[in-house]
Amino acid sequence: MEEDEDYEALFFAECADLLGDLQEQLDRIADGDEDPETINAAFRAVHSVKGGAAAFGFTDLIGFAHIFETVMDGIRSGRLETTPDLAMILVRAGDAMAHLVELASQGGGEPEAIVPRVKAELEEVAAQLGAEAAPKPQPEPEPAAESASQMGEAASREIRIRFAPGPDFFARGHDPLRIFRAARELGLMSAEVEGEAPPLSDLSFEACPFVWTLTFDTDRPDAEIDAFFDVCADAASIERLDGETPTEPTDPPTPTEPAARKQPPPQPAASAKKSGSGVARSLRVDLARVDKLVNLVGEIVITQAVLAQKLAEIDGAMTLEAGHSLEALNRQTRELQESVMTIRAQPVKSVFSRMPRIVRDLSETLGKRARLVISGENTEVDTTVIEELTEPLTHMLRNSMDHGLESAEERRAAGKPEEGVIHLSAEHRGERVIIQITDDGRGIDRDRVLAKAMERGLVGPGESLTPEEIDALIFHPGFSTSEKVSSVSGRGVGMDVVKKKIQSLGGRCTVRSEPGKGTEFTITLPLTLAVLDGMTIRVGSERFVLPLSSVIEAVRLEDCDVREMHDGSRMIGVRGAYLRLISLRKTLGLPPADAPETMAVVADTETDGHVALLVDELIGQRHVVLKSLETNFKRIDGVSGATILGDGRVALILDVPSLASLGLPRRTMQQETVH
Amino acid sequence: MSLVLAVDDTRALRNMLVDCLRSGGHDVIEASDGVEALEQLRAHKPDIVITDLNMPRMNGLDFIEAARREPEGRGLPMLLLTTETAQELKDRARQVKATGWIAKPFDPDQILSLVARLA
């Protein structure tokens, strides 16, 4: 088995590195280093040696590494204290394991006396961890995995199985179709759905509502049939209907490991990188050069779309080969674009790391106690965005400190801990980056905001606003609720400046607040500034592009319940929920149609649930290059930019959240029309 | 045939897995920890993921949990390859919506037949 020897050679080469690292870490532990990362790294080294040993069947090494690992796990989970004695045992264990690896690489042999001695020492330590950690023999390879040939054949017969997927069947990555297809090899003859299939509109993406009866005509042994369904036994209920014993979810054999207790804390990327061949190689490049690259990639995307379109227009030009090549070009362009974007990506850490200081300084100035909790600082964002984020983030933190958090007395009176907590977090969600600032303060004082807005004439007398609308007023230009102009946030820069800044980056900014509980600001930014996946739609004679990340599904109006409301707006029933139906024609000011729209695209507004957009036709899905309108024209609500389609036409790229708020009839107008 | 993402920090074991998958006619992309695996997932949209549990930077469970939040990870079969089979681990695996687990050392036939059933 030449191949196996290759793996073994590689394994021994890796072992050399692992053992070297291990020795280093054990030495450090012996010197009193209690850094969890050191202990974790040592644990992982032992674990990796054990994994390899198990794969190649080095029995002595497996047994030793196992007990060694058990002890290391006891240390990393804090159940064993690293006394100097224990540290010395560990160092000896490292040497013993190195010796066993060497023996294994030489093809076996009797281990030296140090091995059983150290092993006994380890076992003694492990005994303190309780019986569960006692070494057990390594299990045979999983019996369920035995191939059919080893299992022999059984008499040909009919087997019926009831197959009922659990509630998270799809969510856990199962697909009944794939399973049934594979089951054909076992002699699956039919899969019948029990009862009536629910209507399409009731289907969800998470749960599978069907229950099947599977009928096999097979000569395979029962065990093999049972083993086949092991893979989903955990996410579905599987029952034999033909009188045989029902299939219990069979688990892999006896655990050989102590339980995976507390997972170690996530390791900082930097310290984990140190193993391996050394210095990270990097290159400093002028940003302008990268930008040029980004632009070029954008142009290529357009050219590729044009090429595809032209080929499609010429009769007979789109041969199978041409199609394949085009497909490959499409994929490569996408990869090129993604690679270029990663060059521009940087962790938000550089901005986030400045924030604790701001909070510290402010808590002194304001006399409020506050703690900043940061998470997701390794989330990567486009460089341009990073540079521009500092100012709005600083301002929002100031706002939270000044307006959000109460004074210590107030907090005490409200039964809260005196120290306020502000969370600053970043994460990727689909094609977006979400940054949130959440405080546990008093929430937005809506009465005061409303009074102020009326005083400033932002809200007319008699207008009734929802709490959310009142909260959103703080983003209104020139709005500042601070009674006295404080040195902290009332310096003429309002939250409107924050919002404008974020908008100029192609993002948006929203606020959610609960009186007495706190306020949450959410900044949503696009991951890439240049290219996006879009769905091209037609409304009248115009083409528009909807970002694919906001599209949920498309429905035909005739399949849905559309209801007219008193105020003339319309709602559409999709999967049991009623969504606001927005006429793109009306909202975008297009000429009235000859025929009413027949389709609606359900889209996500991110903050306000889903809405349905009326369209005439779905044209297709494509990669589009976003060209800013603002540089050449001006900002238009509901539109985030423009792009050039394959046929050379210019299409506007729609922005669902701002479109949805445009489509919202203003309360004042409503009242006017009613009167 | 499927595109499989194989994640393991030990190169020898990863190579064994990769060769096993290739021998079954699958295309394979690799990652050596959860962080890399997330990048691969986003960049290549694999049909199925097989991941080791104990890895530096981001372990297999955390990776699956994070991957389920990505559009590419929704409904994706993701298997944990592990020597540990304790109940607690299984509960965690269920919780992060892992598709299932494979006991190490793995049997190549079993891996291939699992991939055939799931992807």
Side-chain angles (χ1 to χ4, degrees):
Chain A
M1 293 272 278
E2 208 176 282
E3 273 189 9
D4 264 5
E5 275 165 24
D6 282 351
Y7 296 132
E8 280 187 25
L10 185 55
F11 169 65
F12 289 124
E14 279 189 296
C15 266
D17 287 347
L18 287 169
L19 290 168
D21 284 352
L22 178 65
Q23 213 145 35
E24 200 180 301
Q25 278 128 11
L26 293 177
D27 284 346
R28 268 197 237 157
I29 293 172
D31 285 345
D33 183 349
E34 284 178 5
D35 183 356
E37 176 48 31
T38 310
I39 293 163
N40 258 326
F43 169 82
R44 275 198 311 269
V46 179
H47 180 81
S48 295
V49 171
K50 186 185 104 169
F56 300 111
F58 301 135
T59 332
D60 285 349
L61 187 53
I62 300 170
F64 188 87
H66 174 64
I67 188 75
F68 194 178
E69 186 192 21
T70 305
V71 171
M72 286 312 302
D73 187 50
I75 295 172
R76 77 166 177 167
S77 62
R79 290 170 311 137
L80 279 177
E81 203 189 332
T82 27
T83 58
D85 277 353
L86 178 54
M88 285 326 290
I89 296 178
L90 294 180
V91 172
R92 282 200 290 277
D95 294 341
M97 196 162 78
H99 170 63
L100 283 171
V101 169
E102 200 188 332
L103 276 184
S105 72
Q106 291 161 359
E110 195 56 32
E112 281 172 30
I114 172 187
V115 174
R117 206 168 57 229
V118 177
K119 197 172 172 191
E121 285 177 327
L122 288 172
E123 273 160 6
E124 202 177 307
V125 176
Q128 298 172 23
L129 290 168
E132 46 145 4
K136 285 179 199 146
Q138 195 65 15
E140 292 302 304
E142 191 167 355
E146 280 176 48
S147 63
S149 59
Q150 287 167 287
M151 288 194 175
E153 300 205 339
S156 183
R157 68 214 182 285
E158 190 186 90
I159 290 178
R160 286 192 307 131
I161 286 174
R162 186 171 182 274
F163 184 85
D168 55 359
F169 192 70
F170 288 147
R172 290 185 60 184
H174 289 292
D175 180 345
L177 189 61
R178 290 188 212 124
I179 292 171
F180 297 167
R181 268 195 201 132
R184 285 199 295 224
E185 255 187 47
L186 291 180
L188 178 66
M189 302 306 288
S190 72
E192 259 173 88
V193 175
E194 262 181 30
E196 290 278 299
L200 267 182
S201 56
D202 287 354
L203 297 185
S204 99
F205 299 110
E206 298 277 307
C208 177
F210 300 102
V211 173
W212 284 274
T213 304
L214 307 179
T215 310
F216 289 82
D217 180 9
T218 183
D219 53 8
R220 307 295 179 94
D222 284 350
E224 194 186 341
I225 307 272
D226 292 350
F228 179 85
F229 286 103
D230 269 3
V231 63
C232 47
D234 198 48
S237 131
I238 291 144
E239 204 184 333
R240 282 284 284 270
L241 295 176
D242 42 47
E244 297 288 328
T245 42
T247 314
E248 285 297 320
T250 45
D251 283 334
T254 14
T256 53
E257 295 282 306
R261 286 166 209 99
K262 265 185 299 172
Q263 289 300 322
Q267 285 91 35
S271 66
K273 272 214 163 137
K274 63 176 180 269
S275 62
S277 59
V279 213
R281 301 180 48 182
S282 67
L283 184 67
R284 273 176 175 279
V285 182
D286 185 2
L287 199 56
R289 292 197 198 178
V290 179
D291 283 344
K292 180 144 190 236
L293 201 56
V294 172
N295 280 336
L296 265 176
V297 171
E299 297 300 326
I300 292 178
V301 171
I302 294 177
T303 312
Q304 180 228 321
V306 173
L307 185 63
Q309 177 98 17
K310 294 289 171 225
L311 270 176
E313 283 169 5
I314 303 167
D315 265 346
M318 191 63 102
T319 59
L320 196 60
E321 285 82 11
H324 279 317
S325 306
L326 209 56
E327 191 51 45
L329 179 63
N330 189 3
R331 218 170 36 237
Q332 287 151 2
T333 323
R334 183 173 296 240
E335 252 172 64
L336 179 63
Q337 179 240 327
E338 279 164 6
S339 319
V340 171
M341 292 322 290
T342 57
I343 299 180
R344 292 180 53 103
Q346 262 187 19
V348 289
K349 203 184 232 155
S350 56
V351 183
F352 276 22
S353 60
R354 293 184 217 173
M355 300 299 149
R357 200 204 153 107
I358 292 172
V359 170
R360 225 169 21 242
D361 290 354
L362 280 178
S363 39
E364 217 157 281
T365 321
L366 295 166
K368 295 177 180 176
R369 284 178 57 196
R371 185 158 53 95
L372 182 67
V373 181
I374 290 180
S375 62
E377 67 263 46
N378 287 325
T379 309
E380 293 194 327
V381 182
D382 194 273
T383 312
T384 325
V385 175
I386 298 249
E387 285 160 9
E388 305 282 330
L389 264 181
T390 315
E391 193 195 316
L393 279 186
T394 310
H395 194 78
M396 288 164 94
L397 270 184
R398 284 204 174 116
N399 190 79
S400 295
M401 288 289 295
D402 198 11
H403 302 300
L405 293 184
E406 312 91 328
S407 64
E409 301 85 65
E410 256 181 89
R411 290 183 67 89
R412 233 190 344 255
K416 295 180 182 180
E418 280 183 26
E419 187 182 53
V421 179
I422 299 179
H423 281 268
L424 173 61
S425 69
E427 64 167 320
H428 280 159
R429 213 176 282 167
E431 305 249 310
R432 294 205 159 75
V433 178
I434 314 273
I435 296 175
Q436 286 186 314
I437 298 178
T438 315
D439 68 58
D440 66 346
R442 60 167 79 94
I444 293 178
D445 184 343
R446 294 189 179 124
D447 291 341
R448 208 194 308 176
V449 168
L450 193 58
K452 197 84 167 182
M454 285 186 170
E455 189 189 307
R456 306 245 157 141
L458 306 176
V459 179
E463 267 188 70
S464 70
L465 272 68
T466 62
E468 291 75 29
E469 284 172 318
I470 297 174
D471 291 350
L473 280 173
I474 63 165
F475 292 118
H476 205 284
F479 190 91
S480 173
T481 54
S482 216
E483 305 282 72
K484 51 184 189 303
V485 174
S486 76
S487 66
V488 177
S489 54
R491 50 170 74 175
V493 203
M495 291 300 285
D496 63 311
V497 177
V498 171
K499 185 162 191 166
K500 282 220 186 75
K501 186 97 213 174
I502 301 294
Q503 277 177 343
S504 74
L505 295 171
R508 61 187 125 262
C509 187
T510 55
V511 63
R512 235 162 39 105
S513 173
E514 206 175 320
K517 292 264 180 65
T519 309
E520 174 185 272
F521 286 100
T522 305
I523 297 175
T524 314
L525 291 162
L527 208 50
T528 69
L529 301 172
V531 185
L532 60 99
D533 269 324
M535 177 184 264
T536 319
I537 54 167
R538 182 175 66 81
V539 181
S541 57
E542 292 293 327
R543 303 276 156 93
F544 296 95
V545 175
L546 280 168
L548 209 55
S549 52
S550 9
V551 173
I552 307 293
E553 63 178 323
V555 293
R556 283 194 303 185
L557 288 188
E558 59 181 39
D559 298 338
C560 298
D561 178 24
V562 177
R563 296 193 184 174
E564 193 110 1
M565 301 286 118
H566 296 300
D567 58 4
S569 66
R570 289 195 289 167
M571 306 289 277
I572 182 170
V574 181
R575 297 182 195 282
Y578 276 86
L579 309 176
R580 203 147 51 79
L581 196 55
I582 296 176
S583 163
L584 286 179
R585 201 169 255 129
K586 235 184 264 168
T587 316
L588 298 168
L590 300 177
D594 315 330
E597 294 92 338
T598 54
M599 302 205 66
V601 174
V602 177
D604 187 8
T605 63
E606 285 165 43
T607 50
D608 219 11
H610 296 172
V611 293
L613 308 171
L614 279 172
V615 304
D616 285 317
E617 195 186 342
L618 303 178
I619 311 264
Q621 189 182 323
R622 61 159 26 104
H623 216 42
V624 299
V625 180
L626 193 133
K627 299 274 178 191
S628 161
L629 280 179
E630 280 144 84
T631 27
N632 301 313
F633 191 49
K634 63 169 193 170
R635 197 187 142 69
I636 304 171
D637 283 327
V639 173
S640 59
T643 192
I644 302 167
L645 297 177
D647 57 6
R649 280 203 234 191
V650 172
L652 295 178
I653 299 170
L654 301 179
D655 178 55
V656 175
S658 75
L659 205 65
S661 57
L662 270 182
L664 208 60
R666 278 286 294 168
R667 235 150 263 268
T668 39
M669 286 159 60
Q670 237 172 338
Q671 282 168 348
E672 279 161 20
T673 43
V674 172
H675 291 308
Chain B
M1 290 294 104
S2 312
L3 179 62
V4 189
L5 171 55
V7 193
D8 199 319
D9 58 329
T10 314
R11 269 237 301 157
L13 298 187
R14 194 169 77 231
N15 282 6
M16 282 175 85
L17 179 61
V18 168
D19 289 348
C20 156
L21 290 163
R22 293 220 167 105
S23 76
H26 301 289
D27 289 328
V28 187
I29 44 175
E30 301 174 46
S32 64
D33 61 44
V35 176
E36 251 183 65
L38 273 179
E39 284 164 15
Q40 291 283 52
L41 176 77
R42 294 194 194 108
H44 300 285
K45 304 177 179 55
D47 303 311
I48 182 167
V49 177
I50 300 177
T51 175
D52 185 28
L53 174 64
N54 272 299
M55 294 181 292
R57 294 215 283 174
M58 184 190 279
N59 72 35
L61 283 168
D62 291 344
F63 159 67
I64 291 180
E65 187 166 39
R68 285 276 181 243
R69 285 198 295 265
E70 301 287 323
E72 293 84 6
R74 236 192 278 168
L76 180 70
M78 293 193 267
L79 295 167
L80 266 178
L81 193 55
T82 167
T83 49
E84 305 176 34
T85 45
Q87 193 54 44
E88 212 175 314
L89 171 74
K90 289 182 191 169
D91 291 344
R92 267 290 284 154
R94 267 183 212 113
Q95 200 187 350
V96 302
K97 303 207 186 304
T99 308
W101 46 84
I102 307 169
K104 266 208 287 201
F106 68 84
D107 167 8
D109 287 338
Q110 187 202 5
I111 293 265
L112 291 178
S113 91
L114 276 174
V115 172
R117 268 174 273 173
L118 292 170

